[in-house]
Amino acid sequence: LPPSIKKILEGIKDGKKRALFILINFFRSIGMDKDELERRVYDWNKKNPEPLSEGYIKTQLTWNYNKKIVLPPNYDKDYYKGIGIIPTEEEMRYKNPVNYIARKIQKKENRTNFKNSK
């Protein structure tokens, strides 16, 4: 996972609603199974000093699953800084967390294919 997403998953003090928006859109964009997504979101919420209500999370999940998949906000947006998450230099080379993870997977596959072709 991108460092910014890992940092959010540790729990945050401020900006939990924006963080939830980021997490849901990130996990859906990478094709995470609905049950796994929900488990991760509820686990994350327990780590927050003041958790969001389960009703709020359920509403956001239900609403989001009735919409098309949308990428999480780009790194250059204030969503991350506004919740105290500063993307790393490496992350800033990519547009958003989905691009970050896609490139990491692609690089890993290229290395594996190269090793297997020898």
Side-chain angles (χ1 to χ4, degrees):
L1 293 175
S4 293
I5 299 297
K6 286 181 183 177
K7 190 74 174 160
I8 291 170
L9 287 171
E10 291 173 3
I12 60 172
K13 186 175 180 178
D14 294 320
K16 290 179 284 292
K17 291 178 181 177
R18 285 179 282 171
L20 178 62
F21 177 79
I22 291 168
L23 292 175
I24 291 172
N25 288 311
F26 174 73
F27 289 145
R28 284 198 68 206
S29 293
I30 63 169
M32 185 177 283
D33 174 71
K34 183 179 179 183
D35 292 335
E36 175 68 9
L37 185 154
E38 290 180 9
R39 185 190 64 75
R40 285 195 179 214
V41 166
Y42 284 112
D43 286 349
W44 159 77
N45 193 46
K46 292 174 189 171
K47 295 176 186 175
N48 294 324
E50 294 178 33
L52 294 168
S53 74
E54 287 196 18
Y56 180 81
I57 292 174
K58 185 176 180 178
T59 299
Q60 293 303 307
L61 290 166
T62 301
W63 180 84
N64 198 285
Y65 272 101
N66 288 325
K67 304 289 180 191
K68 66 179 183 171
I69 296 174
V70 176
L71 289 173
N74 292 341
Y75 285 126
D76 63 351
K77 303 297 180 205
D78 287 335
Y79 272 87
Y80 300 93
K81 292 177 188 160
I83 62 174
I85 304 294
I86 308 299
T88 64
E89 273 187 49
E90 182 183 17
E91 287 177 294
M92 291 301 290
R93 290 186 214 142
Y94 307 97
K95 197 169 191 172
N96 64 46
V98 174
N99 291 357
Y100 175 92
I101 201 165
R103 295 293 272 184
K104 291 291 184 179
I105 290 169
Q106 183 181 30
K107 285 180 182 179
K108 187 176 183 177
E109 287 174 355
N110 287 344
R111 283 192 300 257
T112 301
N113 290 338
F114 179 74
K115 287 178 185 176
N116 291 338
S117 68
K118 288 184 174 181

